[in-house]
Amino acid sequence: MEARMQNPAVVIPEAMKPLLGVAEAARAGGVPKETLELVHLRVSQINGCSYCVDGGVKNARKAGISDDKLFTVAAWREAPYFSDEERAALALAEAATRIADSSDPVPDAVWDAAADHFDERQLASLVLTVGLTNLFNRLNATTRQPAGAGW
């Protein structure tokens, strides 16, 4: 597989710096790094972004996430390895990623479950992580960035 072009944020480098700034700000929101890595990975799986799935697994391993979680994150509802907090974050991430699939894109029950485990700043961190991951997934999938390629 060959990329159609470089990632657009690389082609227009003025775009990359603010995007990385959003990522840094989201990481400072008080959500455990492991949870943010799981969210990034799950969103990237849903969107079929091989570049981000590949990078997400590598970053998750560096963050100390177990293989049990990595192997089952796509089926987290049926896997015993995830905490209640992680489950709430993953449910929020899935709902916010699949907004076109429902007339109620992020149901109150999903939001409320996340709000039971995360304060407003942490919720902001999760929503920013989901949004930014979706953006990068779309940039990479549109331009067919292959897994394992560097920018």
Side-chain angles (χ1 to χ4, degrees):
M1 179 175 190
E2 277 190 45
R4 291 176 166 153
M5 62 179 279
Q6 287 185 305
N7 179 298
V10 173
V11 174
I12 303 175
E14 299 84 3
M16 186 62 84
K17 186 175 180 179
L19 294 175
L20 295 177
V22 171
E24 184 178 333
R27 286 191 299 270
V31 176
K33 182 176 182 169
E34 296 83 0
T35 302
L36 293 178
E37 293 295 346
L38 289 169
V39 162
H40 169 81
L41 180 57
R42 183 64 190 124
V43 169
S44 297
Q45 289 173 335
I46 291 167
N47 289 325
C49 179
S50 68
Y51 184 93
C52 290
V53 169
D54 180 64
V57 168
K58 291 172 182 170
N59 288 336
R61 282 197 166 131
K62 287 179 191 172
I65 295 174
S66 71
D67 282 348
D68 288 335
K69 285 184 180 182
L70 291 177
F71 297 155
T72 60
V73 70
W76 60 269
R77 285 179 180 84
E78 293 82 27
Y81 310 116
F82 300 91
S83 69
D84 290 344
E85 293 82 6
E86 290 166 337
R87 291 175 186 284
L90 289 166
L92 178 61
E94 287 187 0
T97 296
R98 293 179 163 150
I99 58 174
D101 294 348
S102 173
S103 62
D104 186 11
V106 180
D108 288 340
V110 170
W111 181 265
D112 292 346
D116 285 344
H117 297 286
F118 301 101
D119 64 25
E120 187 172 36
R121 183 174 175 85
Q122 292 170 317
L123 287 167
S125 173
L126 287 167
V127 171
L128 285 169
T129 298
V130 170
L132 189 61
T133 300
N134 273 291
L135 171 63
F136 273 112
N137 290 167
R138 281 150 177 75
L139 295 176
N140 290 326
T142 299
T143 59
R144 293 190 180 160
Q145 301 300 309
W151 285 335

